[in-house]
Amino acid sequence: MTALAHEAPTTTEVPEAMSPISLDEALWQAWKSLELPEGFRAEIVEGFIEVSPTGRSSHARIINRLRRLLEKYLEDGDHAVHHDWNVIHGLKAWVPDLFVAPQEDEEFLTEDGLGFAASAVKLVVEVVSPGHENQQRDRVRKRHAYAGAGIPVYVLIDDHDNHGTVTVLTSPSPDEGTYAAETRVPYGTVVEIPEGPAKGFAITEEITGPRQG
């Protein structure tokens, strides 16, 4: 009869439980790992990663007009117009259509080089895209997010509000995520940026085009 040898049981060390991460941290890690096809951008807005295409032709025309005139307005100062950059606040990331921040950007980039620190951004601009979700993102969720980051001026150019409107939001309350001051005018009415490096810059029909409809 053959005797069966009994091996000593093998023990495996169980590593200490990993500390759970927060939803914000999970979203941040997921956002950093995204590889998007050309023509798309990803943002962390109000607890979600939102992937959206870049704007249509009418959207791009407004942005290009605004960028060209605003660059000329700022050319003698130490701030510049930026686009296609991430704006980072904590574990949140946005890609405004345009924003104004220091021209010499090295000291205002995040440590990981992923984008501009929101604290250095003096003005953001969003041109609203068609579709309910796009409109809610720019009118509601980004309004709350930019105010929460303390960005001093938020300009919203909206083809889809009535016959077209321009809204200039100022006096952010970061704790509440709101802007205390709002000026909203129809296309065709001149509205000026009231503060910051772009103070006095006028948004006119030359930028927005005529009233819609």
Side-chain angles (χ1 to χ4, degrees):
M1 185 172 66
T2 303
L4 297 177
H6 294 278
E7 296 181 357
T10 301
T11 59
T12 303
E13 290 188 10
V14 179
E16 292 184 11
M18 294 179 63
S19 300
I21 65 173
S22 68
L23 174 60
D24 283 346
E25 291 169 327
L27 288 171
W28 179 254
Q29 294 300 326
W31 175 81
K32 289 199 296 182
S33 69
L34 286 175
E35 295 184 10
L36 297 177
E38 186 176 351
F40 286 83
R41 61 184 180 182
E43 304 173 282
I44 304 174
V45 184
E46 296 292 284
F48 294 92
I49 295 176
E50 298 195 16
V51 177
S52 58
T54 53
R56 300 181 182 182
S57 58
S58 60
H59 183 277
R61 278 197 297 271
I62 291 174
I63 293 169
N64 288 337
R65 291 175 195 143
L66 176 58
R67 183 184 179 191
R68 186 169 59 250
L69 293 171
L70 192 49
E71 282 177 340
K72 185 175 181 180
Y73 192 84
L74 296 172
E75 65 184 358
D76 294 328
D78 55 4
H79 284 72
V81 183
H82 303 268
H83 75 122
D84 288 339
W85 278 70
N86 298 313
V87 171
I88 308 293
H89 179 64
L91 298 178
K92 298 177 176 61
W94 312 295
V95 187
D97 287 323
L98 295 175
F99 65 93
V100 172
Q103 192 169 63
E104 300 299 326
D105 54 42
E106 287 300 320
E107 67 178 288
F108 302 106
L109 299 180
T110 56
E111 289 185 6
D112 51 18
L114 288 175
F116 245 101
S119 58
V121 175
K122 303 304 180 185
L123 177 150
V124 287
V125 180
E126 298 287 359
V127 179
V128 180
S129 298
H132 177 73
E133 280 305 309
N134 292 328
Q135 292 165 19
Q136 288 295 106
R137 180 180 65 245
D138 291 339
R139 294 172 184 169
V140 180
R141 296 195 293 276
K142 280 197 169 181
R143 177 174 177 154
H144 179 74
Y146 291 150
I151 294 175
V153 183
Y154 178 24
V155 176
L156 195 62
I157 300 176
D158 195 342
D159 267 359
H160 313 285
D161 178 19
N162 210 347
H163 298 289
T165 61
V166 178
T167 302
V168 178
L169 298 156
T170 56
S171 301
S173 298
D175 291 341
E176 299 174 3
T178 60
Y179 283 97
E182 174 179 339
T183 300
R184 178 171 167 266
V185 301
Y187 280 10
T189 302
V190 175
V191 60
E192 293 187 353
I193 305 302
E195 62 180 83
K199 181 178 180 179
F201 177 80
I203 299 174
T204 67
E205 189 173 316
E206 181 182 358
I207 293 169
T208 64
R211 287 169 60 86
Q212 305 297 308

